[in-house]
Amino acid sequence: MTEAVTPQTGLSRNGGPGAGSVWRVAGPVVVATGLKEARLYNVVYVGEARLPGEVIRIDGKRTVIQVYEDTSGIRVGEPVQDTGAPLQVELGPGLLGAIFDGTQRPLPAMAASNGDPYGAPTISRGVAIPALDRERLWDFVPAVSEGDEVVPGDLLGTVEETEALVHKVLVPHGVSGIVTGVTRGPARVEEPVVRVNGEPVAMMRRWPVREPRPTARRLDPEVPLVTGQRVVDTLFPVALGGTATIPGGFGTGKTVLEQSLARYSHADVVVYVGCGERGNELTEVLEEFPELVDPNTGAPLMQRTILIANTSNMPVAAREASIYTGITLAEYFRDQGYDVALMADSTSRWGEALREVSGRLEEMPAEEGYPAYLSTRLAEFYERAGSVVTLGKEGREGSVTVVGAVSPPGGDFSEPITQHTLRLAGTFWALDTSLARGRHFPAINWGTSYTLYELDAWFEREVREDWSEQRAWMQDLLQREGSLLEIVQLLGADALASPQRVVLAAGRLLREDFLQQSAFDEVDAYCALPKQYAMLRVIRAVHKALSAAVERGAPVEAASSVPAAGEVGRMRYWPDDEFEERAAALISRVEREMEELG
Amino acid sequence: MTERKAKDGPDFERLFAVEHRTVSYVSGPLLVAERAGDAGYDEMVDVVTPAGETRRGQVLEVEGDKMVVQVLGGTRGLNRPGTTVRTTGEVAKTAVGPDLIGRILDGSGHPVDGGPPLQPAAYQSVNGQPLNPYARAHPSDFIETGISAIDGLNTLVRGQKLPIFGGFGLPAMELAAQIAESARVPGSGNEEVTDDFVVVFAAIGVTHREAAFFRRRFAGSAALERSILFLNLADDPTVERLLTPRAALTAAEYLAWEEGRHVLVILADVTNYCEALREVSAAREEIPGRRGYPGYMYTDLASLFERAGRVRGRSGSVTQLMILSMPDDDITHPIPDLTGYITEGQIVLSRELDRRGISPPIDVLPSLSRLMNAGVGAGKTREDHRAVADQLYAAFARGKELRSLVSIVGEQALSEEDRRNLAFAEDFEEQFVGQGPNRRTMEETLETAWRLLDRFSSGELKRIKPELIERYRSRATVSATQEEG
Ligand SMILES: Nc1ncnc2c1ncn2[C@@H]1O[C@H](COP(=O)(O)OP(=O)(O)O)[C@@H](O)[C@H]1O
Ligand SMILES: [Mg+2]
């Protein structure tokens, strides 16, 4: 696979090898005849309106096309034009902070009309606008000189794309040789900035979205993606380069969690794919992210974010493409040596798009109407996550972490998409409808969720040596609380002895004052790792003091309601810089008050 | 209503040469016509019956020289040799404009109130076009409905889409009418509902009784003058139900985006719409998804519901309230399930509360407004609103848990705090949710909340910051004592 460096795109190229005509139209699926040279996944233009689509099956003389736009009004016999190229994305400076549709059309440019940025608020058909701004100048700083020998992946130069991120322009795949020309200074994305063996290399290049970008080798995931979400980081962390899945019924908190991760995760670049979900949720990101600051760099959050939007009312076939567009952009920044987090909300809508198209093709369905290749497609997507050493002499390390939401019908995890995804994802955050109804957020069920990544060593090294020991204490306590609650449900709290009631009291503190975390409270929304550790330490100390007091004969009820215990619930609001001190003070207060009970 | 008066719709006949073609197959709501060369996918056709009557149809598929048509007026009385099909070259369009206000129309947008012909500003495609998320403005203007369980806990904002999940016999329609009547935006300067507020009511397969209820409620309050009624009743053709909400939304969008009005669209009942979708899908012998509903039902419903919202640079809004009867009161049924995945929350009615005489019988735990956060807080409602709501939820959820526990082990097994929680749950349902027919201002809703929370110590009010407890708890207690004294 070579990265095209000449200005041509799957979506905007005129003409091409072969023209046919429409034979059948049913929803997003068009069948054409006469496209003799069409190859699978080639982009074609359908009808007089030149609606872009993609070849998804070749069946004798008939070519089956999924069309990225509304097919209303298309007639049998209208022309179909093959572009000869697969669906590609444009890669280069100008991606960060952008919002694209599923096939990488820039939504702001589509909304603008007659000088009014929102003059055309609805998406009309057949609009072709390139993804990257062709006129904008970028200050190219070369990293090579004439005579250098380069291979694919080598650094050619840099562009300061945002305050926080240096965009690395690399030698494209398929290009190697001796640098024969270098241009420093402002350039447009299509202008050559370097020559290799006399061939011009511009900052912009293209890549077919369904093709994973090559790397030198994979690395074992050893470092967590720090998210600032207590239940995630402490109990079920995901590795940089790992995969996580968030299944949950509607209203259980998938989107809020995905957005919290997009805000607070320690990633260099975040690609957020709104796939078949609400328009307003993307609008919210668009309105808020420019105002928010990336805690790691101090730059506006939007500057590290790329949004891909195919909302539920946008065409279904482009929904299928949006996931590939997103992951290809993520890989591109990974190849520059960055840690990229990709949020996909929701992968179920992507699976359903596959199902809808497959249904129109009258393919033999597997479970619940989904095509038999569903699991393969899911695997191909999740396997594009990873922590890698990139191509090129520099040997950069980069990663793509994938967090996919799943929307199981009726909240029932036995459905195909959840089940297939569970086989692929390393971390499982099970959202629980009953927790959500009781307003326990994030509604991650601590009993059924898991992580397969072994990251203890990192936490012990970077936070505290007894991090995993403390977490084990917590898990054990929650588990004991769970079993005791079952007994209480049958027999009442009276049936429990005092030490067991202590477990219930401590379990409740863990649930309410540690696991629950408000995404909407300015302070609580993000919790740094040292604070997570210290909060647990306080709760553990309360538990210990409580046990001691009860052992001395104090009633559980009285001990667990000493004034200082009420303070535990307020720790979340304490600012980071005062935390250590206030936590220590609280622990001694709790101990004192419990001792006073006798 | 099967006959169409050409004057009331766009003049299709004029637009395209009349062509007749042979019908080769009729089944359920569908027919297949041959020699369909110039038919465009999704376009409207006229189906002329052997008796010479014209019914509208929509092209579902074209293949070679065949087309599959769904007949909006139903296929009764059609036969192969006597029926002809005429293409129009247009997708379905509907009349839009201020002239529709005050009118009663059928499910495809033609007047049925005996009034003069419509004078539309334009005819627009009923499918609309998807809003560009970049051009949306995030909805954040709080709408005061006067209902505590909504205003206090599940706040509605302008441009939101919020369904009411009811069930047969539950007062969902009454609740929707109550919201439509009393909805006002505080601070808009006008206590009274003004000119720029319009209600578009789309009856989709509802009974005559339900439709009459709505007409009465509106005619009675003189509100008909600012409403448009689209009526597809239970005995109207099923397939027309697929058109009714689209026509209604198209009319609403025109008023909102072109004329800057705030439009509240009420769709009743989404369940009937989905049944129609299923019927067409079954007739096409499509591979069914869950419980026989088509796999594209999510996308189809989204193409309706996503038409709510606000747009940057325009002053109007489209707010949607949908009424949805949950089959078997089952919230996991595909219709409420897919709806809940698309809408910005849901208001769930409870049969149990209704039986206990609690009105409105809103079950707050499964209810949700996803846009609440954007609409509440200092400068919008009150600074303590979010925290109070969280606290009410936490205390009520705990109270409900204890209620099921108590039914097994008895109340004496509970601790002091738990007993208070249990009593809170009871009072909360009766006093906060069960407000009866009276309207409450936002301020009154919050004061009611604080009075109910007064039984808890400050340490127990974990969701509310101490400053806010300090500021608002005493106020409620003071005003409560004053009331009693
Ligand atoms: N961490 C959280 N803190 C506070 N509220 C939350 C949190 N997560 C979810 N919620 C509440 O749950 C609602 C639904 O969450 P959302 O992420 O939209 O659900 P889903 O995407 O699963 O349908 C939100 O509108 C919010 O009220
Ligand atoms: Mg969501």
Side-chain angles (χ1 to χ4, degrees):
Chain A
M1 185 52 55
T2 61
E3 229 169 339
V5 285
T6 45
Q8 55 171 232
T9 158
L11 280 187
S12 64
R13 202 161 83 160
N14 281 315
S21 62
V22 172
W23 160 254
R24 172 175 183 239
V25 188
V29 174
V30 164
V31 179
T33 52
L35 289 176
K36 294 195 192 69
E37 288 165 55
R39 274 175 307 175
L40 206 56
Y41 300 129
N42 271 8
V43 169
V44 297
Y45 289 115
V46 175
E48 312 285 356
R50 294 177 61 75
L51 307 179
E54 191 179 17
V55 174
I56 52 170
R57 193 206 274 176
I58 297 165
D59 189 357
K61 285 183 184 148
R62 307 221 161 129
T63 309
V64 183
I65 298 155
Q66 61 174 355
V67 180
Y68 298 137
E69 297 199 47
D70 176 21
T71 51
S72 290
I74 302 279
R75 288 169 171 65
V76 171
E78 286 193 40
V80 177
Q81 182 103 52
D82 181 9
T83 64
L87 180 66
Q88 304 178 56
V89 285
E90 295 183 351
L91 303 168
L95 292 171
L96 295 173
I99 172 168
F100 299 113
D101 77 355
T103 56
Q104 215 200 5
R105 292 185 301 178
L107 289 169
M110 290 168 75
S113 164
N114 295 330
D116 175 356
Y118 309 106
T122 60
I123 298 174
S124 39
R125 287 199 313 188
V127 179
I129 301 178
L132 295 182
D133 187 340
R134 295 293 192 269
E135 294 309 313
R136 183 157 172 192
L137 291 168
W138 298 96
D139 199 10
F140 179 76
V141 181
V144 287
S145 333
E146 278 180 38
D148 288 355
E149 190 176 347
V150 292
V151 294
D154 281 354
L155 184 67
L156 285 179
T158 56
V159 163
E160 225 173 278
E161 183 170 358
T162 68
E163 285 165 48
L165 191 130
V166 173
H167 195 115
K168 297 181 184 159
V169 180
L170 307 176
V171 177
H173 305 285
V175 174
S176 52
I178 307 292
V179 174
T180 51
V182 178
T183 321
R184 175 181 294 272
R188 297 179 178 82
V189 288
E190 288 181 304
E191 288 169 352
V193 285
V194 174
R195 280 175 195 276
V196 176
N197 289 352
E199 289 296 316
V201 176
M203 285 183 276
M204 187 181 92
R205 58 267 337 251
R206 296 190 175 78
W207 190 263
V209 296
R210 291 180 191 272
E211 194 85 30
R213 289 173 60 85
T215 59
R217 62 189 163 89
R218 279 183 175 257
L219 294 169
D220 283 337
E222 285 167 345
V223 177
L225 174 73
V226 175
T227 67
Q229 309 304 302
R230 289 189 286 271
V231 56
V232 168
D233 292 340
T234 301
L235 287 183
F236 312 112
V238 60
L240 278 181
T243 51
T245 177
I246 321 177
F250 65 82
T252 53
K254 299 179 292 297
T255 303
V256 171
L257 185 56
E258 291 269 23
Q259 290 194 359
S260 294
L261 298 183
R263 283 196 182 117
Y264 304 114
S265 286
H266 295 202
D268 300 308
V269 174
V270 170
V271 180
Y272 191 99
V273 187
C275 179
E277 296 282 314
R278 302 176 186 87
N280 277 331
E281 291 173 348
L282 290 156
T283 308
E284 189 177 10
V285 173
L286 278 171
E287 287 182 9
E288 279 180 9
F289 276 34
E291 311 292 318
L292 294 171
V293 161
D294 178 351
N296 305 305
T297 60
L301 210 45
M302 198 61 206
Q303 291 189 2
R304 70 164 198 187
T305 310
I306 305 172
L307 294 175
I308 312 287
N310 177 279
T311 57
S312 58
N313 55 342
M314 284 155 84
V316 154
R319 186 159 314 156
E320 212 257 324
S322 66
I323 290 279
Y324 295 102
T325 297
I327 194 114
T328 309
L329 298 184
E331 286 175 340
Y332 175 66
F333 283 98
R334 171 203 68 192
D335 291 347
Q336 296 173 39
Y338 292 115
D339 291 319
V340 186
L342 177 116
M343 315 293 162
D345 184 15
S346 160
T347 59
S348 291
R349 307 301 168 215
W350 170 60
E352 287 162 9
L354 282 179
R355 175 172 70 182
E356 179 166 346
V357 170
S358 160
R360 307 262 187 190
L361 298 180
E362 285 154 23
E363 289 178 333
M364 184 61 106
E367 314 124 285
E368 294 189 19
Y370 288 103
Y373 46 80
L374 173 71
S375 61
T376 317
R377 293 289 168 83
L378 280 166
E380 283 165 2
F381 166 62
Y382 279 100
E383 288 297 294
R384 286 173 78 169
S387 188
V388 306
V389 175
T390 67
L391 297 182
K393 289 195 281 284
E394 261 192 321
R396 292 171 301 268
E397 290 183 8
S399 66
V400 173
T401 310
V402 170
V403 180
V406 178
S407 316
D412 175 2
F413 289 2
S414 68
E415 59 92 36
I417 297 193
T418 312
Q419 285 303 311
H420 290 307
T421 307
L422 279 179
R423 282 208 290 277
L424 301 164
T427 302
F428 172 43
W429 297 319
L431 297 188
D432 190 306
T433 305
S434 57
L435 287 177
R437 294 220 173 137
R439 274 26 181 202
H440 174 114
F441 288 117
I444 296 179
N445 182 319
W446 53 92
T448 52
S449 301
Y450 59 77
T451 181
L452 302 177
Y453 300 105
E454 286 172 19
L455 304 163
D456 283 350
W458 187 93
F459 284 105
E460 285 165 10
R461 198 171 62 238
E462 302 293 325
V463 194
R464 251 339 149 68
E465 62 290 347
D466 61 345
W467 172 276
S468 19
E469 190 265 331
Q470 187 163 276
R471 190 204 47 227
W473 165 79
M474 171 178 177
Q475 268 170 320
D476 173 60
L477 200 121
L478 285 170
Q479 210 235 316
R480 282 196 288 157
E481 189 212 15
S483 330
L484 291 175
L485 282 175
E486 280 170 28
I487 299 177
V488 172
Q489 286 297 330
L490 292 172
L491 304 169
D494 271 1
L496 301 182
S498 294
Q500 294 172 321
R501 307 234 304 264
V502 169
V503 172
L504 288 192
R508 193 166 161 202
L509 289 180
L510 283 177
R511 283 186 288 117
E512 294 185 354
D513 301 332
F514 186 82
L515 293 179
Q516 291 187 19
Q517 186 170 359
S518 170
F520 305 117
D521 183 88
E522 241 171 74
V523 181
D524 197 29
Y526 174 81
C527 189
L529 294 180
K531 182 169 166 185
Q532 297 186 24
Y533 174 85
M535 282 175 79
L536 260 192
R537 205 183 47 175
V538 170
I539 296 175
R540 197 175 183 184
V542 173
H543 177 226
K544 200 166 153 218
L546 197 57
S547 304
V550 169
E551 220 159 273
R552 286 192 304 271
V556 181
E557 167 75 0
S560 52
S561 54
V562 297
E567 268 304 290
V568 173
R570 313 231 175 263
M571 291 190 296
R572 60 178 70 201
Y573 305 121
W574 296 350
D576 280 6
D577 51 349
E578 299 170 16
F579 204 90
E580 281 287 322
E581 212 175 299
R582 290 177 74 169
L586 180 59
I587 291 175
S588 26
R589 229 183 99 198
V590 168
E591 285 167 351
R592 198 174 57 244
E593 285 177 9
M594 298 238 188
E595 265 162 36
E596 282 162 9
L597 285 173
Chain B
M1 75 116 269
T2 43
E3 240 131 342
R4 205 168 64 76
K5 286 150 279 172
K7 263 191 231 103
D8 296 331
D11 198 354
F12 291 135
E13 285 81 348
R14 228 184 11 165
L15 293 168
F16 254 71
V18 177
E19 269 185 56
H20 297 269
R21 42 211 89 226
T22 335
V23 171
S24 62
Y25 174 83
V26 183
S27 159
L30 304 182
L31 62 79
V32 175
E34 314 272 345
R35 290 200 290 125
D38 65 334
Y41 168 71
D42 200 35
E43 285 178 356
M44 298 306 280
V45 296
D46 286 337
V47 178
V48 185
T49 71
E53 168 201 334
T54 303
R55 297 181 194 171
R56 301 177 78 195
Q58 193 170 14
V59 178
L60 293 183
E61 185 177 326
V62 290
E63 178 172 351
D65 60 357
K66 281 208 270 298
M67 63 175 154
V68 180
V69 172
Q70 66 179 2
V71 186
L72 299 181
T75 49
R76 197 181 315 137
L78 299 189
N79 64 5
R80 274 184 30 185
T83 306
T84 53
V85 176
R86 212 154 50 199
T87 49
T88 65
E90 293 260 302
V91 297
K93 290 192 168 181
T94 194
V96 297
D99 191 51
L100 273 68
I101 299 173
R103 300 300 302 267
I104 302 178
L105 314 167
D106 69 11
S108 336
H110 308 114
V112 288
D113 53 4
L118 291 177
Q119 307 210 320
Y123 287 95
Q124 287 185 344
S125 158
V126 299
N127 293 328
Q129 279 182 331
L131 274 175
N132 184 334
Y134 181 78
R136 283 182 186 267
H138 197 250
S140 60
D141 293 341
F142 156 61
I143 297 178
E144 190 179 272
T145 66
I147 297 162
S148 291
I150 297 178
D151 294 347
L153 297 174
N154 296 290
T155 318
L156 176 67
V157 298
R158 268 183 175 161
Q160 186 166 7
K161 40 188 180 288
L162 191 69
I164 301 170
F165 288 2
F168 304 104
L170 289 174
M173 197 77 97
E174 285 79 350
L175 185 61
Q178 196 177 338
I179 293 171
E181 280 169 357
S182 60
R184 64 188 182 93
V185 174
S188 58
N190 292 305
E191 287 290 297
E192 269 164 50
V193 197
T194 50
D195 232 21
D196 64 359
F197 180 67
V198 179
V199 175
V200 175
F201 178 72
I204 308 164
V206 307
T207 60
H208 285 271
R209 183 181 49 76
E210 288 166 306
F213 164 81
F214 208 87
R215 270 158 97 155
R216 214 172 32 244
R217 271 296 273 269
F218 270 76
S221 61
L224 191 63
E225 271 142 55
R226 49 180 180 83
S227 359
I228 310 174
L229 268 57
F230 286 83
L231 300 179
N232 168 287
L233 299 177
D235 53 359
D236 284 332
T238 316
V239 184
E240 191 192 59
R241 286 171 203 162
L242 301 178
L243 195 62
T244 308
R246 294 190 163 79
L249 285 163
T250 306
E253 282 169 345
Y254 184 87
L255 296 174
W257 314 138
E258 304 303 325
E259 302 204 329
R261 303 195 205 222
H262 295 290
V263 189
L264 175 65
V265 181
I266 300 176
L267 304 177
D269 183 317
V270 172
T271 303
N272 298 334
Y273 175 86
C274 293
E275 299 302 345
L277 208 58
R278 179 165 69 169
E279 190 176 321
V280 172
S281 172
R284 296 183 71 185
E285 294 171 12
E286 289 171 338
I287 300 156
R290 274 174 85 221
R291 301 210 207 174
Y293 294 92
Y296 49 78
M297 192 157 90
Y298 174 85
T299 306
D300 189 282
L301 288 175
S303 73
L304 300 179
F305 301 159
E306 276 289 310
R307 290 171 79 173
R310 303 213 61 169
V311 171
R312 282 183 179 276
R314 318 228 168 173
S315 53
S317 61
V318 175
T319 308
Q320 282 187 38
L321 279 182
M322 312 78 156
I323 288 168
L324 185 156
S325 301
M326 292 187 283
D328 298 325
D329 289 350
D330 176 8
I331 199 170
T332 67
H333 183 281
I335 298 173
D337 189 54
L338 293 180
T339 300
Y341 270 120
I342 303 163
T343 53
E344 282 145 348
Q346 65 277 338
I347 301 294
V348 182
L349 301 187
S350 143
R351 208 166 282 286
E352 194 236 344
L353 293 180
D354 191 50
R355 264 193 222 116
R356 280 167 53 198
I358 288 171
S359 162
I362 297 175
D363 188 354
V364 300
L365 293 185
S367 297
L368 169 70
S369 165
R370 295 165 189 268
L371 298 182
M372 173 167 179
N373 286 309
V376 305
K380 291 173 176 164
T381 54
R382 218 170 75 178
E383 56 173 341
D384 59 328
H385 189 162
R386 178 78 248 175
V388 167
D390 286 349
Q391 188 64 60
L392 288 174
Y393 261 119
F396 181 63
R398 175 108 183 114
K400 282 265 282 208
E401 244 172 66
L402 293 166
R403 196 183 280 169
S404 56
L405 180 59
V406 162
S407 65
I408 306 164
V409 299
E411 204 168 322
Q412 65 288 353
L414 298 187
S415 71
E416 192 52 36
E417 187 192 344
D418 286 350
R419 242 172 282 181
R420 258 178 290 146
N421 252 309
L422 190 65
F424 168 83
E426 203 67 28
D427 292 347
F428 172 81
E429 285 179 337
E430 303 204 328
Q431 297 169 30
F432 189 85
V433 178
Q435 67 186 85
N438 299 330
R439 188 177 198 291
R440 282 195 194 131
T441 63
M442 189 66 235
E443 197 73 14
E444 286 163 347
T445 289
L446 287 173
E447 294 309 303
T448 308
W450 276 106
R451 260 201 304 278
L452 290 168
L453 291 174
D454 208 31
R455 71 195 75 204
F456 298 112
S457 75
S458 296
E460 285 165 352
L461 297 178
K462 281 186 180 180
R463 309 300 174 103
I464 313 179
K465 289 184 185 171
E467 317 83 91
L468 293 177
I469 299 183
E470 188 103 348
R471 205 165 305 151
Y472 291 98
R473 181 209 276 278
S474 50
R475 262 170 56 169
T477 327
V478 170
S479 57
T481 359
Q482 279 167 351
E483 257 171 52
E484 280 153 27

